[in-house]
Amino acid sequence: MRRITPYALLLPLVLTAAACASPDQEVALEDSVETSATSEETTGSDPTEEADEGAGGAPGTSDQVGPPDAGDTLDFGEPAAFPYPVGAYEEEFQDGVEEDVVYTVDDVAGDGAGNADFTLSVEVPELGRVFGLGNMSVECFFDEAGTPATSDDPVVEAEAGTHTMDMRCEAPQSAQNLTVVMTNAEDEATWTGPLE
C-alpha cells in the first residue's frame, strides 16, 4: 500500500485556491511579499546603526561596573571636605556661614587572612547640632569586585570633634590595590592606593 504524505493532500487545495484567485489579488500578494522583504532588509540594517551610535555614545551610559574613574579619587590620607551650614535648625542657619566636615581614609593594610583593614576618620566642626552618620555606607573595590566595609564600633551621631572608625572588608588574597568609596547623604568621596 502506497503512503500519502500530508503535503500531497494539500496540493489540490492550493491549486484550487490559485485558480479561483483574481489577477488583482495575485498582484496584491506579490506586493505584500516585496513589502515584507523590504521591511526585513530595513530592520536588518537598524541594529548595526544602533550599535555604531552606542559605541560612541555619551559617557556614563555603558554597563560598566566598579569604582569611579581614577581621576575622581584621592590618595589614602588625603582629606575630603564638604561644607555644612552652621546652626541647630534650618531656620537658625547663619547666612553664608559654613564649616567643613572632613573625611579621611588611612592606615590601610591587608591582614594576610583575606581582609583589608583601614581607618575612616570624620572631623566634625562646631555646627550647633549633631552630625548624622547612621546612613553612611562604605564599600571596598578590588579591581571590579565590590564588597561592603564594616566596623565593630560605628559612629551614628557625631558631636563636634574627630571620630575614627576601624573598618574591615573582605579582600582577595591576590589584591594589591584597594579603592574605598564612602557615601553619606550628599557627601561622596573615593580613595585609592596600594594594599600593603
Side-chain angles (χ1 to χ4, degrees), residues 114-118 136-142 144-151 166-172 178-182:
N115 293 303
D117 298 324
F118 58 93
M136 179 175 64
S137 68
V138 181
E139 193 169 10
C140 300
F141 287 92
F142 306 92
E144 296 298 317
T147 180
T150 59
S151 175
D166 293 327
M167 306 201 83
R168 170 173 288 179
C169 54
E170 293 180 10
L178 167 65
T179 299
V180 177
V181 179
M182 181 283 309

Side-chain angles (χ1 to χ4, degrees), residues 39-54:
S39 67
E40 285 175 4
E41 289 170 9
T42 306
T43 306
S45 64
D46 284 343
T48 308
E49 290 172 11
E50 288 173 10
D52 291 342
E53 289 172 10

